[in-house]
Amino acid sequence: MKDIGFVVVGAGNLGTNLSLALQNAGWNPLLVINRSSDKGNELASRLNCDFSAELKIPQQKCVVFLCTPDDSLSGLVAELNLTQNIIVHCSGSTSMDIFKGKFKNYGVFYPLQSFTRGIEPEWTKIPLLIEASDEYTFGVLEKIAGTLSRKLYRLDSENRLKCHLSAVFAANFSNHLVYIAENLLKDSGLPSDILYPLLNETIDKLENHGAYLAQTGPARRNDRITMEKHLKILEEDPSLQKLYIFVSDQISKLYKT
Amino acid sequence: MKDIGFVVVGAGNLGTNLSLALQNAGWNPLLVINRSSDKGNELASRLNCDFSAELKIPQQKCVVFLCTPDDSLSGLVAELNLTQNIIVHCSGSTSMDIFKGKFKNYGVFYPLQSFTRGIEPEWTKIPLLIEASDEYTFGVLEKIAGTLSRKLYRLDSENRLKCHLSAVFAANFSNHLVYIAENLLKDSGLPSDILYPLLNETIDKLENHGAYLAQTGPARRNDRITMEKHLKILEEDPSLQKLYIFVSDQISKLYKT
């Protein structure tokens, strides 16, 4: 067992995944704090540690991980009792400054990943973006992070937010495009899994060449005839048509010779 | 060796990948036709068959695969000599009707995949969308297709175009979103491979749950505070801001309770 204990606030997907990974890496779970006792007790029993519904951090030497939704963090910090311990949040879009003035040693421990209940991610590959109030705290957080992942980055709040935004474009928005694609396929009587080999090939190509070189399709070739055919299909859905034109124009401009 | 020979017109990525796969599956390569003799000869020598720069189909029993760019197909068909053989194109966005009136047995053999020179795709997983002028031609094309892939679909030209459009949204447009994301990361001093674990997780989740259930992110939660922070970063790029707002609005509306 390693010498630093941890407290996890929030027993959702992130809190569950992170605390189980920390325990696996040899860190000592001290306490699960969660508003609802069902989820909180469940996680505490998996970690074999205490559970509390009360937002009170023990004075024992530990790192406190706030794993609650982004919009709850400021309120949570206001409610927390003072502690000499290190306190971190795990949010990509929240500044480290929410801790400023109240705590001495604080930071951010942001895994660039989306967690799903019941699916254990490959932690060694997950980028961990670390920020800290001081070198001592950096040292502790990087020591912990290094036992989970091989990919650690120091990043300030402003750049972390940019990184979070890039993940929204690349992952959240792409997912929505696949949603649109699935609906078009439904219209053609085709199952949506027909797209998966192409998606996997797209990702492989991206990873090997970067997105600029990996780009293909009618907009890339500025193939007006095909684009006109596509727009005709979208005639009954002006908002999709608008999206199609907008993205195609951006791509065409980018590759204009 | 199977009893049907094939001719490939066009020695680009598709022509190369497809003809090598056909030969691997036991079909007999007869001729490579290509405008430039460099590429044409190279492919013919890999297939151990003849090459011609002249657009003349042999009268020998065979299937002719047109693997040239979409916008060249109509012109190509006009130039072709009459043949009793089966002729097909491999385009998602071109109607089968380009052959009508000129040939007796014709069709479409469309692999829903993007091909890259030098990378052999997993053919057994690639969906092959088949259309034919008549049942005899369907029979021949499906016999050939079945030796390449386990995923065959009969689809008319209109629905194939819809399917092609869905691939543009899911693959081409998503690739562009990753391009945007890569640029944001560059601004933050981060390497673009930092996104790959998240992208892979996004695809896994999509494949397991479908895009509707797999959606995450600030727009999904209608988290106005985070979206405002993102828009502030994009202040200097109005077109990216516009794209962000457009897609976020679509997602938020979809999950409005």
Side-chain angles (χ1 to χ4, degrees):
Chain A
M1 192 68 79
K2 297 196 172 68
D3 58 337
I4 306 171
F6 69 91
V7 169
V8 57
V9 181
N13 291 339
L14 171 64
T16 300
N17 268 294
L18 177 62
S19 57
L20 289 169
L22 288 169
Q23 187 185 43
N24 262 339
W27 305 102
N28 184 22
L30 299 177
L31 179 66
V32 172
I33 298 176
N34 197 56
R35 210 154 285 184
S36 108
S37 56
D38 282 9
K39 273 193 180 177
N41 265 317
E42 190 195 324
L43 179 57
S45 91
R46 288 179 74 180
L47 293 169
N48 197 22
C49 73
D50 289 337
F51 159 73
S52 168
E54 199 188 348
L55 194 59
K56 208 176 160 195
I57 296 172
Q59 290 308 319
Q60 204 172 339
K61 187 181 173 189
C62 65
V63 179
V64 179
F65 290 88
L66 302 184
C67 299
T68 58
D70 296 359
D71 55 6
S72 72
L73 288 170
S74 299
L76 210 63
V77 168
E79 274 181 66
L80 278 169
N81 61 318
L82 289 180
T83 172
Q84 293 308 306
N85 292 313
I86 292 176
I87 185 162
V88 300
H89 71 64
C90 305
S91 159
S93 61
T94 307
S95 168
M96 184 176 71
D97 288 350
I98 59 163
F99 297 120
K100 209 172 178 173
K102 179 148 186 183
F103 301 101
K104 184 170 164 264
N105 300 113
Y106 53 87
V108 180
F109 194 98
Y110 172 51
L112 184 59
Q113 185 58 285
S114 145
F115 296 97
T116 308
R117 186 165 289 272
I119 298 178
E120 205 179 320
E122 251 186 288
W123 275 93
T124 53
K125 290 184 180 171
I126 298 178
L128 297 176
L129 310 187
I130 308 292
E131 189 177 10
S133 54
D134 56 280
E135 274 305 317
Y136 162 73
T137 307
F138 260 123
V140 175
L141 295 181
E142 286 176 340
K143 191 174 164 191
I144 295 173
T147 62
L148 297 184
S149 170
R150 289 189 304 261
K151 303 206 161 190
L152 313 190
Y153 300 87
R154 286 192 180 195
L155 206 68
D156 64 21
S157 291
E158 195 189 329
N159 283 311
R160 187 174 57 255
L161 180 60
K162 253 185 209 165
C163 178
H164 184 256
L165 172 59
S166 84
V168 166
F169 274 104
N172 300 158
F173 287 4
S174 292
N175 185 84
H176 183 63
L177 293 178
V178 177
Y179 172 79
I180 292 170
E182 286 180 359
N183 283 335
L184 286 164
L185 289 174
K186 248 179 247 162
D187 277 358
S188 330
L190 291 170
S192 50
D193 65 6
I194 202 175
L195 277 178
Y196 299 158
L198 177 64
L199 288 180
N200 285 306
E201 212 272 338
T202 303
I203 298 269
D204 281 356
K205 216 165 157 183
L206 263 172
E207 297 192 2
N208 286 316
H209 305 284
Y212 183 83
L213 292 174
Q215 187 67 59
T216 59
R220 164 76 176 85
R221 305 187 295 274
N222 202 19
D223 172 354
R224 293 274 148 198
I225 295 170
T226 302
M227 290 193 276
E228 284 304 323
K229 288 180 190 168
H230 286 161
L231 286 173
K232 207 166 173 330
I233 295 180
L234 298 173
E235 243 167 19
E236 280 165 37
D237 193 331
S239 77
L240 273 192
Q241 220 182 27
K242 201 173 147 190
L243 181 61
Y244 184 93
I245 293 170
F246 193 85
V247 179
S248 292
D249 279 355
Q250 287 208 334
I251 296 173
S252 291
K253 267 180 216 157
L254 197 58
Y255 294 91
K256 213 169 197 170
T257 44
Chain B
M1 191 71 76
K2 296 196 172 68
D3 58 339
I4 306 172
F6 69 90
V7 170
V8 57
V9 181
N13 291 340
L14 171 63
T16 300
N17 268 294
L18 178 61
S19 56
L20 290 170
L22 288 169
Q23 186 184 42
N24 261 341
W27 305 101
N28 184 19
L30 299 178
L31 180 66
V32 172
I33 298 176
N34 197 57
R35 209 154 285 186
S36 108
S37 56
D38 282 9
K39 272 192 180 180
N41 265 317
E42 189 195 325
L43 180 57
S45 90
R46 288 178 75 181
L47 294 169
N48 196 21
C49 73
D50 289 337
F51 159 73
S52 168
E54 198 189 346
L55 195 58
K56 205 173 161 198
I57 297 173
Q59 291 307 320
Q60 201 173 343
K61 188 182 174 189
C62 66
V63 179
V64 180
F65 290 87
L66 303 183
C67 298
T68 57
D70 296 358
D71 55 6
S72 72
L73 289 170
S74 301
L76 212 61
V77 168
E79 275 182 64
L80 278 169
N81 61 320
L82 288 180
T83 173
Q84 293 307 308
N85 291 313
I86 293 176
I87 186 162
V88 300
H89 72 63
C90 305
S91 158
S93 62
T94 307
S95 168
M96 184 175 70
D97 288 350
I98 60 163
F99 297 120
K100 212 174 177 173
K102 178 148 185 180
F103 301 101
K104 185 170 164 262
N105 300 114
Y106 53 87
V108 180
F109 194 97
Y110 172 52
L112 184 59
Q113 183 60 283
S114 144
F115 297 96
T116 308
R117 186 166 288 271
I119 298 177
E120 205 179 322
E122 251 187 286
W123 276 93
T124 54
K125 289 184 179 171
I126 297 179
L128 296 177
L129 311 188
I130 308 291
E131 188 176 10
S133 53
D134 56 281
E135 273 306 315
Y136 162 72
T137 307
F138 260 124
V140 175
L141 296 181
E142 286 175 341
K143 192 175 162 192
I144 295 173
T147 62
L148 298 184
S149 169
R150 289 190 304 262
K151 302 208 161 186
L152 313 190
Y153 300 87
R154 286 191 180 196
L155 206 68
D156 65 22
S157 291
E158 195 188 328
N159 283 310
R160 187 174 58 255
L161 180 61
K162 254 185 207 164
C163 179
H164 183 256
L165 172 59
S166 84
V168 166
F169 273 105
N172 300 159
F173 287 6
S174 291
N175 185 84
H176 183 64
L177 294 177
V178 176
Y179 171 79
I180 293 170
E182 285 180 0
N183 282 336
L184 287 164
L185 287 174
K186 247 180 248 161
D187 278 358
S188 329
L190 290 170
S192 50
D193 66 4
I194 203 176
L195 276 178
Y196 298 159
L198 177 64
L199 287 180
N200 284 305
E201 212 271 340
T202 303
I203 297 271
D204 280 356
K205 217 166 158 181
L206 263 172
E207 296 192 2
N208 287 315
H209 304 286
Y212 184 84
L213 292 174
Q215 187 67 57
T216 59
R220 164 78 177 83
R221 303 188 296 274
N222 202 17
D223 173 354
R224 294 274 147 197
I225 295 169
T226 302
M227 290 193 276
E228 285 304 323
K229 287 180 190 167
H230 286 163
L231 286 174
K232 207 167 174 329
I233 295 180
L234 298 173
E235 244 167 18
E236 281 165 36
D237 192 331
S239 76
L240 272 193
Q241 219 181 28
K242 202 173 145 190
L243 181 61
Y244 184 93
I245 292 170
F246 193 84
V247 179
S248 293
D249 279 355
Q250 285 207 335
I251 296 172
S252 291
K253 267 180 213 156
L254 197 59
Y255 294 92
K256 214 169 196 171
T257 45

